[in-house]
Structure formats: structure tokens, C-alpha cells
């Protein structure tokens, strides 16, 4: 595949590759140390039903590096997946989530909602993943039905049978499953019938243009109808405006999550928020 290139062109290409590699390696090293240096934190974003009830919270990982810079999960999660670090990081997040559920039970027993943890496909596909979930649940003594695992459709494109087996087994143990970013993946709808999942999450890409783009409205209405037909809970993410809220509630979406209701909060702030938003304490 010898290509005709002007002088310097090949070298330029190599250089930019090298710069990118160096940056990536530096970040990988920083990521390796982040856990020891306690640079990670879990945040919680409330999920609220039309009644005002807080039916759940999504755990979102935050990384503030040594220099105090905030690095978004969209940047470091894919990196952690590539270099094999997603496994220890994912275990840490799960442990935090289970420990927080135990804390919530003691401190804000009025919060009986689910706590949702994002699981990378590569983490979910590990052979000992199931065992690690069981261990964390048993170690913290929480009711497994309080824990929801959010997986994306990419978790099924590898070994579908293996994924189904894992979900079945963990569901029998009591854990809830949710399909994140539903409607953005490659899967056909038929796989849904075979999966014992309890929840679908409408991707924020569909929510964003609600009101402006009729196709997204139809897409959302369809997802909500599928959920009702299959007896699944349905959560809309990325809800930022009253228009979006009203439209989603008119379509009987089960729960809403987004900046309009609350940004992701650290543990103590989430506790405060729950105390302030007890069911019925809202005017509307
Ligand atoms: P996701 O699971 O789809 O999470 C929803 C994302 O939307 C979060 O971004 C959240 O902060 C953001 N968000 C919430 N409300 C709004 C809103 O009203 N408007 C907009 N524009 N965005 C909103 P975040 O925290 O940056 O996380 C990005 C992605 O990183 C997540 O997408 C998830 O795929 C991944 N992620 C986060 N935490 C973890 C984790 O612990 N493990 C794994 N494997 N992935 C994680
Ligand atoms: Mg999620
Ligand atoms: Mg999502
Ligand atoms: Mg998303």
C-alpha cells in the first residue's frame, strides 16, 4: 500500500501519533494512581416520578486529577476500558454504590428508590463479574433489589447467550437491570423479549430536541409504548426544560432525570436533596 506522499507528510503523521500516544500514556499512568490517591468520587443524580417521588438515583463517576482538574467520564471511561483499568474502577464504583445504599437506609429511610450503576460492556463480559456483584451485595447486606445495573446494547453484541445467562442469574439473585441509551445501539428490538430487564432509559439525544423535532417525539412515544407493552419502567435522561418535562409526563413517562430536576450531587448533597424533596412536600 505504498502511498504517494509529499515530503514530510509521513513524518507529520508519525509525530501526531506520537503526541497522542504520549498524552494517552500519561493519562493512563495518572488513571492508575487516581484510585490510590482517592481522586475518584461518586455523585448521585435523582430520578423523579410525576408524583414527585424520588424513585431512583444514578451513580455517576467523577475524577478530579492531582492538579485538581475535572476530567469527564466521557474521556476517562473509554481510556480505562482500553487499558484494562475499568475493572478495578468499576468494582470500586459498585462497592461505593452498595455502601451508600446501606447508608441511605440508615440516614434517609424515606428514600426507597433504586440506585443505578453504569456498567461498561467490557466489565460486564468479565467471567467473574457476576461473582463480584454478589459479593458486594452480600458484604454490605443490602437488599439486591435496591441495585440497578445499567448496561448498554453493546453488552450484547459480543456473546449474547452469555449476557442473557448473566442477566438471568443476577436477576434471580434480585438485582434490577436497565438498558441505558436505549434506541441508540445496533440491536434489533427482538432481543428485548429475551432479556429479563426491568427498565429502559431514553437517551438524552432524543430528549434534547423534544418540541423542535417531531421525529424525536415519535421515537420517545414509541419507546414509552414498548415499555408499557413489556411491563418495563422507563426513565428519560437529560431533561432540562419545562417543555420537555410536560411532554414526557403527558406521555406517561415513569421517571425523569436531568438538570431541570437536579444535577448530579455528591453523597452529602444528595442526602440533603432527598430530605428536601420528600413525597408530597412539593407544591406542584
Ligand atoms: P450516561 O450513563 O448516559 O449518564 C448520563 C449523563 O448525562 C451523565 O454524564 C450526566 O451527568 C449527564 N446529564 C444528566 N442530566 C443532564 C441534563 O439535563 N443535560 C445534559 N446535557 N446532560 C445531563 P456524565 O456524568 O458526564 O457521564 C457520561 C457517561 O459516562 C455516562 O453516560 C456513562 O456512560 C459513563 N459513566 C459515568 N459514570 C460511570 C461509571 O461509574 N462507570 C462506567 N462504566 N461508566 C460511567
Ligand atoms: Mg447511565
Ligand atoms: Mg444514558
Ligand atoms: Mg447517554
Amino acid at each position: 500500500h505504498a502511498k504517494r506522499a509529499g515530503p514530510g507528510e509521513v513524518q507529520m503523521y508519525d509525530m501526531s501519533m506520537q503526541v497522542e500516544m504520549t498524552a494517552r500514556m500519561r493519562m493512563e499512568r495518572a488513571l492508575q494512581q487516581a484510585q490510590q490517591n482517592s481522586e475518584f468520587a461518586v455523585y448521585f443524580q435523582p430520578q423523579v416520578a410525576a408524583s414527585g417521588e424520588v424513585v431512583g438515583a444514578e451513580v455517576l463517576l467523577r475524577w478530579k486529577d492531582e492538579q485538581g482538574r475535572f476530567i469527564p467520564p466521557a474521556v476517562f471511561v473509554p481510556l480505562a476500558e482500553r487499558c484494562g483499568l475499568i475493572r478495578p474502577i468499576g468494582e470500586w464504583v459498585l462497592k461505593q454504590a452498595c455502601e451508600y445504599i446501606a447508608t441511605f437506609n440508615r440516614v434517609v429511610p424515606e428514600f426507597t428508590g433504586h440506585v443505578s450503576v453504569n456498567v461498561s460492556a467490557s466489565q460486564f463480559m468479565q467471567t467473574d463479574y457476576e461473582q463480584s456483584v454478589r459479593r458486594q451485595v452480600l458484604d454490605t447486606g443490602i437488599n439486591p433489589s435496591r441495585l440497578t445495573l445499567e448496561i448498554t446494547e453493546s453488552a450484547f453484541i459480543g456473546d449474547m447467550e452469555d449476557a442473557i445467562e448473566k442477566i438471568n442469574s443476577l436477576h434471580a439473585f434480585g438485582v434490577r437491570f436497565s438498558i441505558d441509551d436505549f434506541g441508540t445501539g445496533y440491536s434489533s428490538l427482538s432481543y428485548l423479549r429475551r432479556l429479563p430487564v426491568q427498565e429502559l432509559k431514553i437517551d438524552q439525544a432524543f430528549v434534547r430536541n423534544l418540541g423542535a423535532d417531531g421525529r424525536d417525539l415519535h421515537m420517545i412515544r414509541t419507546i414509552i409504548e414498548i415499555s408499557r407493552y413489556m411491563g418495563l419502567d422507563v426513565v428519560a435522561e437529560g431533561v432540562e426544560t419545562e417543555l420537555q418535562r410536560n411532554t414526557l409526563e403527558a406521555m406517561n413517562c415513569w421517571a425523569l432525570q436531568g438538570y431541570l430536576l437536579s444535577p448530579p450531587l455528591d453523597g452529602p448533597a444528595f442526602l440533603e436533596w432527598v430530605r428536601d424533596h420528600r413525597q408530597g412536600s412539593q407544591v406542584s
Side-chain angles (χ1 to χ4, degrees):
H1 284 321
K3 235 175 46 172
R4 276 165 69 89
E9 202 169 313
V10 169
Q11 206 190 334
M12 282 279 286
Y13 180 68
D14 283 345
M15 258 179 65
S16 68
M17 284 259 292
Q18 205 175 335
V19 167
E20 200 190 294
M21 283 255 287
T22 311
R24 188 188 293 177
M25 278 164 63
R26 196 181 298 133
M27 211 186 225
E28 276 180 20
R29 258 199 308 277
L31 201 53
Q32 245 146 22
Q33 281 154 12
Q35 222 168 338
Q36 287 137 259
N37 299 348
S38 311
E39 293 167 17
F40 288 126
V42 288
Y43 275 54
F44 299 86
Q45 189 173 34
Q47 299 171 331
V48 185
S51 62
E53 188 188 351
V54 187
V55 293
E58 178 174 14
V59 177
L60 294 161
L61 184 57
R62 296 290 175 260
W63 178 22
K64 216 173 187 180
D65 76 0
E66 273 184 319
Q67 280 84 44
R69 286 175 304 205
F70 167 74
I71 298 148
V75 172
F76 73 82
V77 167
L79 194 70
E81 279 168 348
R82 267 202 304 270
C83 67
L85 279 170
I86 196 63
R87 187 175 170 167
I89 293 172
E91 281 210 10
W92 182 82
V93 172
L94 185 64
K95 185 166 191 279
Q96 291 289 306
C98 292
E99 285 174 356
Y100 264 106
I101 293 172
T103 304
F104 296 154
N105 283 337
R106 277 198 320 274
V107 188
V108 281
E110 63 268 36
F111 171 62
T112 55
H114 310 286
V115 172
S116 298
V117 174
N118 290 287
V119 183
S120 289
S122 58
Q123 192 192 351
F124 185 73
M125 286 188 261
Q126 299 278 345
T127 48
D128 60 351
Y129 179 70
E130 194 189 320
Q131 197 46 46
S132 113
V133 173
R134 286 172 191 266
R135 198 178 49 240
Q136 305 273 17
V137 168
L138 295 173
D139 282 356
T140 48
I142 60 161
N143 184 338
S145 68
R146 292 295 296 285
L147 182 67
T148 299
L149 299 176
E150 285 191 9
I151 49 182
T152 56
E153 289 161 77
S154 58
F156 316 129
I157 55 176
D159 190 339
M160 179 81 172
E161 298 310 317
D162 180 62
I164 292 175
E165 206 177 297
K166 260 184 195 155
I167 297 173
N168 268 319
S169 167
L170 277 171
H171 180 55
F173 177 64
V175 172
R176 241 173 128 254
F177 278 88
S178 174
I179 301 184
D180 203 357
D181 307 336
F182 185 75
T184 62
Y186 309 98
S187 313
S188 74
L189 274 179
S190 62
Y191 77 99
L192 253 189
R193 284 186 302 137
R194 304 191 54 205
L195 296 175
V197 300
Q198 287 70 51
E199 181 185 281
L200 301 181
K201 288 192 84 173
I202 302 171
D203 193 67
Q204 55 193 54
F206 299 125
V207 175
R208 192 172 303 134
N209 298 320
L210 253 187
D213 191 327
R215 283 168 303 182
D216 288 334
L217 183 80
H218 287 304
M219 188 73 189
I220 290 176
R221 182 176 288 132
T222 303
I223 295 174
I224 292 173
E225 268 165 20
I226 290 168
S227 304
R228 187 175 311 125
Y229 172 68
M230 298 194 65
L232 307 177
D233 294 328
V234 60
V235 179
E237 63 180 24
V239 180
E240 295 182 355
T241 68
E242 287 291 347
L243 174 70
Q244 291 165 347
R245 188 220 297 252
N246 294 337
T247 311
L248 286 157
E249 285 182 355
M251 292 189 282
N252 286 314
C253 187
W254 177 61
L256 308 186
Q257 178 185 341
Y259 299 151
L260 179 69
L261 299 125
S262 168
L265 305 166
D266 67 19
F270 177 73
L271 289 174
E272 274 303 300
W273 191 93
V274 167
R275 288 198 182 102
D276 292 346
H277 287 77
R278 287 191 190 134
Q279 189 177 7
S281 72
Q282 276 174 316
V283 185
S284 57

